[in-house]
Amino acid sequence: MIPDIHIEDYDYPLPDSRIARYPLERRDASRLLMYRDGSVTGHVFREIPDLLPQDAIMVFNDTKVVPARLHFQRETGAHIEVFCLEPVHPSEYNLVFAETVCCRWKCIVGNVKKWKSDVLSLYNPDNDMTVNALALKASLVERDGETSVVEFSWEGGVPFSRVLEICGSIPIPPYLNRETEAIDQERYQTLYAKFRGSVAAPTAGLHFTEEVLGRIKAKGIDMETVCLHVGAGTFLPVKSSEISGHTMHREPFVVRRSFLEELRRGTRPVIAVGTTSVRTLESLYYVGVNCIEKGHPEDVGQWMPYEREYAYTTGEALDAIIGYLDSNSLDELKVGTRIIIVPGYEFKAVDILVTNFHQPKSTLLLLISAFVGGDWRTIYGYALSHDFRFLSYGDSSVLFRK
């Protein structure tokens, strides 16, 4: 049954002055809040290795943010912003980034009503010769509600990944209320980012330095990775008064078979770095249910965890995924999820969460509330009264599940 949750119950006053507009000079100089057994203590992020249990598994999302925001101009002079969300043709990220002539993407288009049928040219006010040489064009293929399918074409035979690097900008969150700057190219990206595809950073990972990662490893904590490409849905506020009226967007993820085997043993605490890692890890149980009942993996629906009671153990669900991969000679699981984690959710995989401080009335705040047994106001009250910095470039927390 879909939970009866009023989003107004997850509001709090967030002064504009508390939103971190820029990152600190040092990633690990951020402050760190620890919540455990109902109590809150304050720390500095570089101390996090000392706060975590030995012999745990720490899971990072190694997705990489792409410069997905492009600005075009009509012959009339009107500016059109095109924000690439996910590839349509080719639909695989590695294939679309390798295209050298044209490709199609699902996009959010600003001023889309002003875009009729004309082919747009990239806005290049500085007359950059490298940009001019690409002659990047955009054509509107179709509109579908809030999104549109856009075809890009260019010259020079360079891969589309390079086209984005030359012509695009990093899509920093709209609540920063500023344009992308040079610092964002480096700092709105984790040190371990590897696979291109996200339009938003998994921001919990922005605090980690090589020194901190080294100390975590030296403590005996194994570091594993999953890859969930973060979509623009992470920016969307909940507009409906009831959470049942909110739609989660699909996000694709990849998990290696070897890591599934490690999870299957089920003997070690699992630390998720970021809500994207949580959503990936928790989706695995329901992927396993689909493997058991349908014989193959399917995307996890938004409300699947709440539709009925599931009798399978987590081990049985993971066995079903591993069995499917083995029978099809696959070494990684590729699937998608729309899962929404709200109060009342029963966690299957994650014991500890490292995360930033999230917007009022957001699905991420609902996830935090679910994780700490509804005690989110204790955490956020402490952060607000102790001058913590909020949102993507803000401070961090490590939460032990209730």
Side-chain angles (χ1 to χ4, degrees), residues 19-315:
I19 299 173
R21 301 268 184 255
Y22 293 90
L24 297 178
E25 184 176 349
R26 280 187 57 88
R27 291 177 183 262
D28 60 6
S30 295
R31 298 174 68 190
L32 178 70
L33 177 155
M34 182 172 75
Y35 172 86
R36 187 169 191 173
D37 298 328
S39 64
V40 176
T41 52
H43 306 268
V44 179
F45 191 84
R46 68 176 67 96
E47 299 172 3
I48 194 169
D50 303 323
L51 305 176
L52 301 175
Q54 290 181 318
D55 197 36
I57 305 171
M58 197 166 198
V59 185
F60 300 83
N61 182 4
D62 61 5
T63 186
K64 190 172 187 177
V65 183
V66 296
R69 181 171 280 139
L70 298 160
H71 291 89
F72 291 87
Q73 189 171 27
R74 295 187 64 200
E75 291 182 358
T76 62
H79 287 194
I80 306 289
E81 181 180 277
V82 179
F83 187 6
C84 298
L85 294 183
E86 61 181 271
V88 173
H89 184 75
S91 59
E92 290 281 335
Y93 282 89
N94 60 329
L95 296 179
V96 78
F97 286 129
E99 283 292 321
T100 56
V101 177
C102 68
C103 59
R104 292 184 176 186
W105 283 71
K106 179 184 290 187
C107 303
I108 294 175
V109 179
N111 280 338
V112 69
K113 292 180 180 178
K114 294 184 178 180
W115 190 1
K116 307 303 180 186
S117 58
D118 48 336
V119 177
L120 305 183
S121 298
L122 190 74
Y123 179 56
N124 184 17
D126 299 327
N127 198 30
D128 187 305
M129 299 306 294
T130 305
V131 172
N132 285 339
L134 292 174
L136 180 63
K137 308 287 186 186
S139 303
L140 186 62
V141 177
E142 64 180 82
R143 291 175 59 180
D144 180 20
E146 294 179 349
T147 62
S148 303
V149 175
V150 176
E151 180 171 285
F152 300 103
S153 60
W154 63 96
E155 299 175 4
V158 300
F160 190 63
S161 57
R162 181 62 179 152
V163 172
L164 287 180
E165 289 171 4
I166 295 170
C167 302
S169 60
I170 292 290
I172 59 173
Y175 49 66
L176 295 184
N177 287 321
R178 63 175 177 83
E179 293 297 316
T180 301
E181 299 179 25
I183 192 172
D184 301 308
Q185 305 295 331
E186 174 194 357
R187 296 297 299 276
Y188 196 62
Q189 199 83 266
T190 63
L191 290 185
Y192 47 81
K194 189 173 182 181
F195 298 103
R196 293 176 299 228
S198 280
V199 299
T203 54
L206 297 180
H207 307 278
F208 287 87
T209 60
E210 295 293 354
E211 178 188 353
V212 169
L213 291 170
R215 288 176 54 219
I216 288 170
K217 185 175 182 179
K219 187 169 182 174
I221 297 172
D222 282 349
M223 293 183 284
E224 297 279 356
T225 57
V226 295
C227 184
L228 179 138
H229 290 320
V230 189
T234 191
F235 295 146
L236 296 178
V238 179
K239 295 180 179 178
S240 57
S241 59
E242 309 291 327
I243 195 59
S244 57
H246 183 74
T247 301
M248 296 288 285
H249 288 68
R250 178 186 187 272
E251 292 172 313
F253 70 85
V254 179
V255 179
R256 296 186 316 280
R257 184 198 180 283
S258 58
F259 177 41
L260 291 171
E261 285 275 14
E262 182 61 47
L263 279 178
R264 174 64 184 92
R265 294 186 186 97
T267 57
R268 304 166 69 187
V270 174
I271 307 164
V273 178
T275 56
T276 61
S277 296
V278 172
R279 293 179 65 247
T280 302
L281 292 167
E282 294 297 326
S283 292
L284 290 174
Y285 177 83
Y286 300 98
V287 173
V289 169
N290 284 332
C291 286
I292 293 169
E293 297 183 348
K294 301 178 181 180
H296 57 84
E298 283 188 0
D299 284 1
V300 178
Q302 176 170 335
W303 300 111
M304 188 175 174
Y306 314 93
E307 290 171 350
R308 59 185 170 92
E309 294 286 336
Y310 296 92
Y312 316 108
T313 65
T314 301

